[in-house]
Amino acid sequence: MANTTMRALAINGSARKGGNTAYLLGRALEGLQNEGFHTELIELGGTNLKGCTACRSCFKNKNKRCIQEDDRLNEILAKMIEADAILIGSPTYFADVSSGTKALIDRAGYVARANDDLFSRKVGAAVVMMRRAGAIHAFDTINHFFLIGGMFVAGSTYWNVGLGREIGDVEKDTEALATIDALSANIAWLIKRLKG
């Protein structure tokens, strides 16, 4: 049975549900489940998260919420606050993250900073899919979000990047699968020590 005091949340920023990004995140979560974590995967595909409007209402209200209430951001944000580990996955779009991933980063990041750095000392991990190139820039974008929020970034044996275009292609990328397995083991090791 999962120890509910250890929680891992994975957010798939792909517009395509159930694709290669979701597969890699699911594999990481499976490894964490085996280590006793309660896990959840959220897929942004179809949610149409809006971008940050820089209204700064989160700094005035300080209620751990974005003032935009007509999408799923606040629901996702509440789960991010509860999680010990946050994995954010994105496909590579024009050498960077998807628009849904960027909207999540901008709005969740702004709310977190407005409320005494809500994600500080949580563990973060970026997982990126690419067809051919550009993944390291997307990987850096997600990690910059973790680092500016005072989070600990978990590493692996290589960058957490998978290759593939069509759904299922990444399952043939044995190096990516081994990297994700090592990532989940490292996240578990780190959180268990942080919780002491």
Side-chain angles (χ1 to χ4, degrees), residues 86-188:
I86 301 170
L87 294 82
I88 297 178
S90 179
T92 303
Y93 288 1
F94 295 93
D96 212 331
V97 295
S98 68
S99 59
T101 305
K102 190 65 169 86
L104 171 81
I105 285 172
D106 289 348
R107 287 173 63 198
Y110 224 44
V111 172
R113 290 182 73 80
N115 290 273
D116 300 318
D117 295 316
L118 293 171
F119 308 136
S120 179
R121 298 187 179 152
K122 293 181 183 292
V123 174
V127 174
V128 176
M129 274 301 305
M130 69 176 174
R131 182 187 67 82
R132 188 169 181 86
I136 294 303
H137 190 99
F139 187 71
D140 288 346
T141 294
I142 298 170
N143 284 327
H144 289 152
F145 166 70
F146 295 142
L147 292 168
I148 199 170
M151 296 175 68
F152 302 118
V153 176
S156 185
T157 54
Y158 197 72
W159 314 123
N160 311 319
V161 171
L163 295 171
R165 180 176 183 164
E166 302 305 321
I167 292 176
D169 282 353
V170 76
E171 295 176 50
K172 301 171 206 154
D173 185 350
T174 56
E175 185 175 13
L177 303 183
T179 300
I180 294 299
D181 292 344
L183 173 67
S184 60
N186 288 345
I187 292 170

